[in-house]
Amino acid sequence: MWSRALSAADIAGVDCSSAGDVFTWSISGLDLRGDVDIVCTDICEREPSCENAIEFSSRTTDVAVQIDVPQLSALTMCIWAKSDVDQDGTLVSYAVSNQDNEIIFYNTKALEMWIKDSHKNTNLNINDGEWHLVCGTWSSSGGSWAFYDNGIIYASGTDLRSGSTITAGGALVFAQDQDSVRGHYHSGHDFIGTIAYFSMWSRALSAAEIAGVDCSSGGDVFTWSIGDLDLRGDVEIVCTDICEREPSCENAIEFSGTTTDVAVKTHVPQLPAFTMCIMAKSNRNQVGTLVSYAVPGQANEIILYRVGAMELWIKNDHRNTKLNINDGEWHLMCSTWSSNGGSWAFYNNGIIYASGTGFKTGSTITAGGALVFAQEQDAVRGRYDAW
C-alpha cells in the first residue's frame, strides 16, 4: 500500500518485490486469526530473459536513451552493471548544452555522483565481476543524495547542489563521460562491461522503495527497453539471468472458511491519496471482499469488494467495474484513488481496467483504523459481513 496514487507506468512495474511506503507484504506484519493457512506460491518465478542487456567491449561505444528528459528537482536512477575490469568507468551521464556534467554516475571502482559539476564520493567498487544493482537518488531540497548497492544504502549526505534543478532536453548516455552533448567522450572514463534494466524517476525514491526495485521496475522518466535506445559503436545485445528467481514459499495466505480474521499490524496514516495492490486467486462463485479498511464511525472507509464484479468503496460511496477474478487464475489487482479531482482507477495484471473522476473529491482517508483481508468490516475489526 502506498500513500499516493501510482501512475500507470508505476503500476505496470509492480510485482512480488514491490514495496509500499504504508505497507509492504510480510507474513510477520500480519495478525493471523481464524481458519487460515500460510502456503507456498510460484507467482514470482520467472523464465530467463534474453536480449535484455548491453555488453560494452571496447571504448568506441555510443548508446543513448531516445527520450526527452524533463526539468527535474529530484531524481532516482537505477542500473544493473557487471564488470571485472580495473577501470574508472562511467555508468551513465547526462549532458546539456551549457553543462556536460549535469548528472554522472562515474568511477566504478569508487563511485561518485555528479550533479551540475559538483560531486560526492563513495568507496563503492563494483569492478568485481558480479552483478550490482546501483541506485542513486538526489533532491534539490537540502541537496540530499544517496547511493544504494543491491538495495542497501551505501553512502548518503546533503548539500549537493541544494536548490538546483536539472535542465531538460539533454542527452542521456551509457558507459561514456560526455564533454559535450553526446560527444567529446572523455578518454579513460568509459565503461567496459555489461549493463541492464536502467530506470529513471522524477523523484527521490525512499529506502523502502529502493529495496523493492528489480528488473521489472519502471520509472516515470524512463523504463528499460532496448527498443528505446540508440545503439552505435562496438556494443552487443546479450542475455542475462539476473531476473531469475527461486520459488518462494510461506508467502501467501489461504482462506478456506468464513471465520477468518487477518489484519495488518501497521498503523495507517491519514491519506489524501493511496494505491493498494494485492495478488488474489479463487475459483469460487462468490461476492468476496479482498481488503477492507474501517475506522470508528465509518466501516466502509476503503473496500476492494465483490470479486465477481469488482467495486472500489471510499467513505461509503463506490464505483463499479465488471471485473470478475473468480476464474482460478492469479490476478494482480491494483486500485488507486486521489482526493485531487476524485480520480480513481482499477488495474488487472498491470493493465488499466476501469477509471474515472469525481469520486469523493476533497476527502481524506482517516488514520488509525483496521486494515483487514478477506472480510468486510461493519465495525473496526469486527461484525464481519457473511460475504
Side-chain angles (χ1 to χ4, degrees), residues 5-56:
L6 297 189
S7 68
D10 290 331
I11 295 287
V14 169
D15 68 1
C16 302
S17 66
S18 298
D21 61 328
V22 176
F23 180 73
T24 298
W25 183 256
S26 167
I27 297 295
S28 63
L30 304 176
D31 181 22
L32 305 173
R33 306 176 190 175
D35 193 12
V36 296
D37 291 315
I38 300 173
V39 296
C40 176
T41 71
D42 59 0
I43 52 178
C44 299
E45 291 185 70
R46 291 180 178 157
E47 294 298 320
S49 49
C50 286
E51 295 188 348
N52 56 9
I54 303 174
E55 188 171 280
F56 298 84

Short mmCIF file of all heavy atoms in Angstrom, two decimals, residues 5-56:
data_model
loop_
_atom_site.label_atom_id
_atom_site.label_comp_id
_atom_site.label_asym_id
_atom_site.label_seq_id
_atom_site.Cartn_x
_atom_site.Cartn_y
_atom_site.Cartn_z
N ALA A 5 -1.28 7.95 -5.36
CA ALA A 5 -1.83 7.21 -6.50
C ALA A 5 -0.71 6.95 -7.49
O ALA A 5 -0.20 7.87 -8.13
CB ALA A 5 -2.95 8.02 -7.15
N LEU A 6 -0.28 5.70 -7.60
CA LEU A 6 0.77 5.36 -8.55
C LEU A 6 0.30 5.64 -9.98
O LEU A 6 -0.88 5.52 -10.29
CB LEU A 6 1.15 3.89 -8.43
CG LEU A 6 1.76 3.41 -7.10
CD1 LEU A 6 2.26 1.97 -7.26
CD2 LEU A 6 2.88 4.30 -6.61
N SER A 7 1.25 5.97 -10.83
CA SER A 7 0.94 6.18 -12.24
C SER A 7 0.74 4.83 -12.93
O SER A 7 1.09 3.77 -12.40
CB SER A 7 2.09 6.93 -12.92
OG SER A 7 3.25 6.11 -12.97
N ALA A 8 0.21 4.88 -14.14
CA ALA A 8 0.04 3.65 -14.92
C ALA A 8 1.38 2.97 -15.16
O ALA A 8 1.48 1.74 -15.13
CB ALA A 8 -0.66 3.96 -16.24
N ALA A 9 2.43 3.77 -15.40
CA ALA A 9 3.77 3.19 -15.61
C ALA A 9 4.27 2.51 -14.34
O ALA A 9 4.88 1.44 -14.40
CB ALA A 9 4.75 4.28 -16.05
N ASP A 10 4.02 3.14 -13.18
CA ASP A 10 4.41 2.52 -11.91
C ASP A 10 3.67 1.20 -11.69
O ASP A 10 4.26 0.20 -11.27
CB ASP A 10 4.12 3.46 -10.74
CG ASP A 10 5.04 4.67 -10.69
OD1 ASP A 10 6.18 4.57 -11.17
OD2 ASP A 10 4.61 5.71 -10.18
N ILE A 11 2.36 1.21 -11.96
CA ILE A 11 1.55 0.00 -11.77
C ILE A 11 2.05 -1.13 -12.67
O ILE A 11 2.12 -2.29 -12.26
CB ILE A 11 0.06 0.28 -12.06
CG1 ILE A 11 -0.53 1.28 -11.06
CG2 ILE A 11 -0.74 -1.02 -12.08
CD1 ILE A 11 -0.76 0.75 -9.67
N ALA A 12 2.43 -0.79 -13.89
CA ALA A 12 2.92 -1.81 -14.82
C ALA A 12 4.17 -2.51 -14.29
O ALA A 12 4.45 -3.65 -14.67
CB ALA A 12 3.21 -1.18 -16.19
N GLY A 13 4.91 -1.83 -13.41
CA GLY A 13 6.12 -2.42 -12.86
C GLY A 13 5.95 -3.11 -11.53
O GLY A 13 6.90 -3.66 -10.98
N VAL A 14 4.73 -3.10 -10.98
CA VAL A 14 4.50 -3.73 -9.68
C VAL A 14 4.61 -5.24 -9.80
O VAL A 14 4.07 -5.84 -10.73
CB VAL A 14 3.11 -3.33 -9.13
CG1 VAL A 14 2.75 -4.19 -7.91
CG2 VAL A 14 3.09 -1.86 -8.76
N ASP A 15 5.34 -5.86 -8.86
CA ASP A 15 5.39 -7.31 -8.80
C ASP A 15 5.59 -7.75 -7.35
O ASP A 15 5.41 -6.95 -6.43
CB ASP A 15 6.48 -7.87 -9.72
CG ASP A 15 7.89 -7.53 -9.27
OD1 ASP A 15 8.05 -6.86 -8.22
OD2 ASP A 15 8.84 -7.93 -9.96
N CYS A 16 6.00 -8.99 -7.15
CA CYS A 16 6.09 -9.55 -5.80
C CYS A 16 7.05 -8.77 -4.90
O CYS A 16 6.89 -8.77 -3.68
CB CYS A 16 6.55 -11.00 -5.85
SG CYS A 16 5.47 -12.06 -6.82
N SER A 17 8.05 -8.13 -5.48
CA SER A 17 9.06 -7.45 -4.68
C SER A 17 8.75 -5.98 -4.42
O SER A 17 9.49 -5.30 -3.72
CB SER A 17 10.43 -7.56 -5.36
OG SER A 17 10.43 -6.85 -6.58
N SER A 18 7.66 -5.47 -4.98
CA SER A 18 7.35 -4.05 -4.84
C SER A 18 7.06 -3.69 -3.39
O SER A 18 6.40 -4.45 -2.67
CB SER A 18 6.16 -3.68 -5.72
OG SER A 18 6.46 -3.90 -7.09
N ALA A 19 7.55 -2.53 -2.98
CA ALA A 19 7.44 -2.11 -1.58
C ALA A 19 6.64 -0.82 -1.47
O ALA A 19 7.00 0.19 -2.09
CB ALA A 19 8.84 -1.90 -0.99
N GLY A 20 5.57 -0.84 -0.70
CA GLY A 20 4.78 0.36 -0.45
C GLY A 20 5.29 1.11 0.76
O GLY A 20 5.89 0.52 1.66
N ASP A 21 5.04 2.41 0.80
CA ASP A 21 5.50 3.21 1.95
C ASP A 21 4.54 3.14 3.13
O ASP A 21 4.90 3.52 4.25
CB ASP A 21 5.75 4.67 1.53
CG ASP A 21 4.51 5.37 1.02
OD1 ASP A 21 3.65 4.71 0.41
OD2 ASP A 21 4.38 6.58 1.22
N VAL A 22 3.32 2.65 2.92
CA VAL A 22 2.39 2.41 4.03
C VAL A 22 2.51 0.98 4.53
O VAL A 22 2.63 0.73 5.72
CB VAL A 22 0.93 2.71 3.62
CG1 VAL A 22 -0.03 2.37 4.75
CG2 VAL A 22 0.78 4.18 3.23
N PHE A 23 2.51 0.02 3.60
CA PHE A 23 2.67 -1.38 3.97
C PHE A 23 3.31 -2.15 2.84
O PHE A 23 2.97 -1.96 1.67
CB PHE A 23 1.31 -2.02 4.32
CG PHE A 23 1.39 -3.47 4.71
CD1 PHE A 23 1.92 -3.83 5.94
CD2 PHE A 23 0.97 -4.47 3.85
CE1 PHE A 23 2.02 -5.17 6.31
CE2 PHE A 23 1.06 -5.81 4.20
CZ PHE A 23 1.58 -6.15 5.45
N THR A 24 4.26 -3.02 3.20
CA THR A 24 4.89 -3.96 2.26
C THR A 24 4.61 -5.37 2.76
O THR A 24 4.76 -5.65 3.96
CB THR A 24 6.40 -3.71 2.17
OG1 THR A 24 6.62 -2.38 1.67
CG2 THR A 24 7.08 -4.71 1.25
N TRP A 25 4.24 -6.26 1.85
CA TRP A 25 3.83 -7.61 2.23
C TRP A 25 4.87 -8.34 3.06
O TRP A 25 6.03 -8.44 2.67
CB TRP A 25 3.50 -8.43 1.00
CG TRP A 25 2.99 -9.81 1.29
CD1 TRP A 25 3.68 -10.98 1.19
CD2 TRP A 25 1.68 -10.15 1.74
NE1 TRP A 25 2.88 -12.03 1.55
CE2 TRP A 25 1.64 -11.56 1.89
CE3 TRP A 25 0.53 -9.41 2.03
CZ2 TRP A 25 0.50 -12.24 2.31
CZ3 TRP A 25 -0.61 -10.08 2.46
CH2 TRP A 25 -0.62 -11.47 2.59
N SER A 26 4.44 -8.83 4.19
CA SER A 26 5.27 -9.64 5.08
C SER A 26 4.33 -10.41 5.98
O SER A 26 3.47 -9.82 6.65
CB SER A 26 6.20 -8.75 5.91
OG SER A 26 6.78 -9.47 6.98
N ILE A 27 4.48 -11.73 6.00
CA ILE A 27 3.61 -12.55 6.85
C ILE A 27 3.75 -12.12 8.31
O ILE A 27 2.77 -12.06 9.07
CB ILE A 27 3.94 -14.04 6.70
CG1 ILE A 27 3.68 -14.51 5.26
CG2 ILE A 27 3.16 -14.89 7.69
CD1 ILE A 27 2.23 -14.46 4.84
N SER A 28 4.98 -11.77 8.72
CA SER A 28 5.21 -11.36 10.10
C SER A 28 4.55 -10.03 10.43
O SER A 28 4.37 -9.68 11.60
CB SER A 28 6.71 -11.29 10.40
OG SER A 28 7.33 -10.29 9.60
N GLY A 29 4.18 -9.26 9.39
CA GLY A 29 3.50 -7.98 9.59
C GLY A 29 1.99 -8.11 9.70
O GLY A 29 1.28 -7.11 9.70
N LEU A 30 1.50 -9.36 9.79
CA LEU A 30 0.07 -9.62 9.87
C LEU A 30 -0.29 -10.26 11.20
O LEU A 30 0.48 -11.05 11.77
CB LEU A 30 -0.36 -10.55 8.74
CG LEU A 30 -0.03 -10.11 7.30
CD1 LEU A 30 -0.44 -11.19 6.32
CD2 LEU A 30 -0.70 -8.79 6.96
N ASP A 31 -1.46 -9.96 11.69
CA ASP A 31 -2.05 -10.63 12.86
C ASP A 31 -3.03 -11.67 12.32
O ASP A 31 -4.09 -11.32 11.78
CB ASP A 31 -2.75 -9.62 13.75
CG ASP A 31 -3.36 -10.26 14.99
OD1 ASP A 31 -2.91 -11.35 15.37
OD2 ASP A 31 -4.29 -9.66 15.56
N LEU A 32 -2.68 -12.94 12.41
CA LEU A 32 -3.43 -14.03 11.81
C LEU A 32 -4.31 -14.71 12.85
O LEU A 32 -3.80 -15.23 13.86
CB LEU A 32 -2.48 -15.07 11.20
CG LEU A 32 -1.45 -14.57 10.19
CD1 LEU A 32 -0.49 -15.68 9.82
CD2 LEU A 32 -2.13 -14.03 8.95
N ARG A 33 -5.60 -14.74 12.59
CA ARG A 33 -6.55 -15.43 13.45
C ARG A 33 -7.55 -16.17 12.58
O ARG A 33 -7.81 -15.80 11.44
CB ARG A 33 -7.30 -14.45 14.36
CG ARG A 33 -6.41 -13.53 15.20
CD ARG A 33 -7.25 -12.53 15.99
NE ARG A 33 -6.43 -11.49 16.60
CZ ARG A 33 -6.93 -10.44 17.26
NH1 ARG A 33 -8.26 -10.30 17.39
NH2 ARG A 33 -6.13 -9.52 17.78
N GLY A 34 -8.14 -17.23 13.13
CA GLY A 34 -9.18 -17.94 12.41
C GLY A 34 -8.64 -18.99 11.47
O GLY A 34 -7.49 -19.42 11.55
N ASP A 35 -9.46 -19.38 10.51
CA ASP A 35 -9.22 -20.54 9.65
C ASP A 35 -8.39 -20.13 8.42
O ASP A 35 -8.93 -19.99 7.31
CB ASP A 35 -10.56 -21.13 9.23
CG ASP A 35 -10.41 -22.51 8.60
OD1 ASP A 35 -9.32 -23.09 8.71
OD2 ASP A 35 -11.40 -22.98 8.01
N VAL A 36 -7.09 -19.93 8.63
CA VAL A 36 -6.19 -19.54 7.54
C VAL A 36 -4.95 -20.42 7.57
O VAL A 36 -4.54 -20.91 8.63
CB VAL A 36 -5.78 -18.05 7.63
CG1 VAL A 36 -6.98 -17.15 7.46
CG2 VAL A 36 -5.06 -17.75 8.93
N ASP A 37 -4.35 -20.61 6.40
CA ASP A 37 -3.09 -21.35 6.27
C ASP A 37 -2.08 -20.48 5.53
O ASP A 37 -2.42 -19.78 4.57
CB ASP A 37 -3.29 -22.64 5.48
CG ASP A 37 -4.10 -23.67 6.24
OD1 ASP A 37 -3.83 -23.87 7.43
OD2 ASP A 37 -5.02 -24.25 5.63
N ILE A 38 -0.82 -20.56 5.96
CA ILE A 38 0.28 -19.93 5.21
C ILE A 38 0.78 -20.96 4.22
O ILE A 38 1.14 -22.08 4.59
CB ILE A 38 1.41 -19.48 6.16
CG1 ILE A 38 0.87 -18.46 7.17
CG2 ILE A 38 2.56 -18.88 5.36
CD1 ILE A 38 1.87 -18.08 8.25
N VAL A 39 0.81 -20.58 2.93
CA VAL A 39 1.12 -21.55 1.87
C VAL A 39 2.19 -21.00 0.94
O VAL A 39 2.57 -19.82 1.00
CB VAL A 39 -0.16 -21.89 1.06
CG1 VAL A 39 -1.18 -22.59 1.95
CG2 VAL A 39 -0.76 -20.64 0.41
N CYS A 40 2.66 -21.89 0.06
CA CYS A 40 3.70 -21.55 -0.93
C CYS A 40 3.04 -21.19 -2.25
O CYS A 40 2.05 -21.80 -2.66
CB CYS A 40 4.62 -22.75 -1.10
SG CYS A 40 5.89 -22.57 -2.37
N THR A 41 3.58 -20.21 -2.95
CA THR A 41 3.12 -19.86 -4.30
C THR A 41 4.31 -19.77 -5.24
O THR A 41 5.45 -19.59 -4.82
CB THR A 41 2.40 -18.49 -4.33
OG1 THR A 41 3.35 -17.45 -4.14
CG2 THR A 41 1.32 -18.42 -3.27
N ASP A 42 4.00 -19.87 -6.53
CA ASP A 42 5.04 -19.75 -7.55
C ASP A 42 4.82 -18.53 -8.43
O ASP A 42 5.36 -18.43 -9.54
CB ASP A 42 5.09 -21.01 -8.42
CG ASP A 42 3.76 -21.28 -9.13
OD1 ASP A 42 2.82 -20.49 -8.94
OD2 ASP A 42 3.68 -22.27 -9.86
N ILE A 43 4.05 -17.57 -7.95
CA ILE A 43 3.69 -16.43 -8.81
C ILE A 43 4.87 -15.53 -9.12
O ILE A 43 4.80 -14.71 -10.03
CB ILE A 43 2.55 -15.59 -8.19
CG1 ILE A 43 2.87 -15.20 -6.75
CG2 ILE A 43 1.25 -16.34 -8.26
CD1 ILE A 43 1.81 -14.33 -6.10
N CYS A 44 5.97 -15.66 -8.38
CA CYS A 44 7.12 -14.78 -8.64
C CYS A 44 8.20 -15.45 -9.46
O CYS A 44 9.24 -14.83 -9.73
CB CYS A 44 7.72 -14.30 -7.31
SG CYS A 44 6.57 -13.35 -6.33
N GLU A 45 8.03 -16.70 -9.84
CA GLU A 45 9.03 -17.35 -10.67
C GLU A 45 9.06 -16.72 -12.05
O GLU A 45 8.04 -16.31 -12.59
CB GLU A 45 8.74 -18.84 -10.80
CG GLU A 45 8.91 -19.63 -9.53
CD GLU A 45 8.73 -21.11 -9.77
OE1 GLU A 45 9.60 -21.71 -10.42
OE2 GLU A 45 7.70 -21.64 -9.33
N ARG A 46 10.26 -16.66 -12.64
CA ARG A 46 10.42 -16.09 -13.97
C ARG A 46 11.33 -16.96 -14.82
O ARG A 46 12.24 -17.59 -14.31
CB ARG A 46 11.04 -14.69 -13.90
CG ARG A 46 10.14 -13.64 -13.29
CD ARG A 46 10.87 -12.34 -13.28
NE ARG A 46 10.00 -11.29 -12.75
CZ ARG A 46 10.45 -10.18 -12.21
NH1 ARG A 46 11.74 -9.96 -12.12
NH2 ARG A 46 9.62 -9.26 -11.75
N GLU A 47 11.07 -16.94 -16.11
CA GLU A 47 11.97 -17.58 -17.05
C GLU A 47 13.16 -16.67 -17.32
O GLU A 47 13.05 -15.45 -17.22
CB GLU A 47 11.24 -17.86 -18.38
CG GLU A 47 10.12 -18.87 -18.27
CD GLU A 47 10.61 -20.23 -17.84
OE1 GLU A 47 11.68 -20.64 -18.32
OE2 GLU A 47 9.92 -20.88 -17.03
N PRO A 48 14.33 -17.25 -17.66
CA PRO A 48 15.46 -16.38 -18.03
C PRO A 48 15.07 -15.47 -19.19
O PRO A 48 14.37 -15.88 -20.11
CB PRO A 48 16.54 -17.39 -18.47
CG PRO A 48 16.15 -18.68 -17.82
CD PRO A 48 14.65 -18.66 -17.74
N SER A 49 15.48 -14.21 -19.11
CA SER A 49 15.11 -13.24 -20.14
C SER A 49 16.34 -12.89 -20.96
O SER A 49 17.41 -12.65 -20.43
CB SER A 49 14.55 -11.97 -19.49
OG SER A 49 15.39 -11.52 -18.46
N CYS A 50 16.18 -12.92 -22.29
CA CYS A 50 17.31 -12.68 -23.18
C CYS A 50 17.11 -11.38 -23.95
O CYS A 50 16.05 -10.78 -23.93
CB CYS A 50 17.47 -13.85 -24.15
SG CYS A 50 18.17 -15.31 -23.35
N GLU A 51 18.19 -10.98 -24.60
CA GLU A 51 18.21 -9.71 -25.33
C GLU A 51 17.73 -8.56 -24.47
O GLU A 51 16.91 -7.74 -24.88
CB GLU A 51 17.37 -9.82 -26.62
CG GLU A 51 17.96 -10.82 -27.61
CD GLU A 51 17.27 -10.81 -28.95
OE1 GLU A 51 16.20 -10.19 -29.05
OE2 GLU A 51 17.80 -11.39 -29.89
N ASN A 52 18.25 -8.51 -23.25
CA ASN A 52 17.80 -7.50 -22.30
C ASN A 52 18.94 -6.70 -21.71
O ASN A 52 18.72 -5.86 -20.85
CB ASN A 52 17.01 -8.16 -21.16
CG ASN A 52 17.79 -9.25 -20.45
OD1 ASN A 52 18.99 -9.41 -20.69
ND2 ASN A 52 17.15 -9.97 -19.57
N ALA A 53 20.17 -6.97 -22.14
CA ALA A 53 21.35 -6.29 -21.60
C ALA A 53 22.26 -5.85 -22.74
O ALA A 53 22.16 -6.35 -23.86
CB ALA A 53 22.10 -7.20 -20.63
N ILE A 54 23.14 -4.91 -22.42
CA ILE A 54 24.10 -4.41 -23.42
C ILE A 54 25.50 -4.65 -22.92
O ILE A 54 25.84 -4.29 -21.78
CB ILE A 54 23.90 -2.90 -23.69
CG1 ILE A 54 22.47 -2.63 -24.15
CG2 ILE A 54 24.88 -2.41 -24.73
CD1 ILE A 54 22.16 -1.17 -24.29
N GLU A 55 26.31 -5.26 -23.77
CA GLU A 55 27.71 -5.53 -23.43
C GLU A 55 28.60 -4.52 -24.17
O GLU A 55 28.54 -4.40 -25.40
CB GLU A 55 28.08 -6.95 -23.83
CG GLU A 55 29.47 -7.37 -23.36
CD GLU A 55 29.70 -8.84 -23.59
OE1 GLU A 55 29.22 -9.66 -22.77
OE2 GLU A 55 30.33 -9.18 -24.62
N PHE A 56 29.39 -3.79 -23.38
CA PHE A 56 30.34 -2.81 -23.91
C PHE A 56 31.73 -3.44 -23.87
O PHE A 56 32.28 -3.65 -22.79
CB PHE A 56 30.31 -1.53 -23.06
CG PHE A 56 28.97 -0.83 -23.05
CD1 PHE A 56 27.98 -1.21 -22.16
CD2 PHE A 56 28.71 0.20 -23.92
CE1 PHE A 56 26.75 -0.58 -22.13
CE2 PHE A 56 27.48 0.86 -23.92
CZ PHE A 56 26.51 0.46 -23.02
#
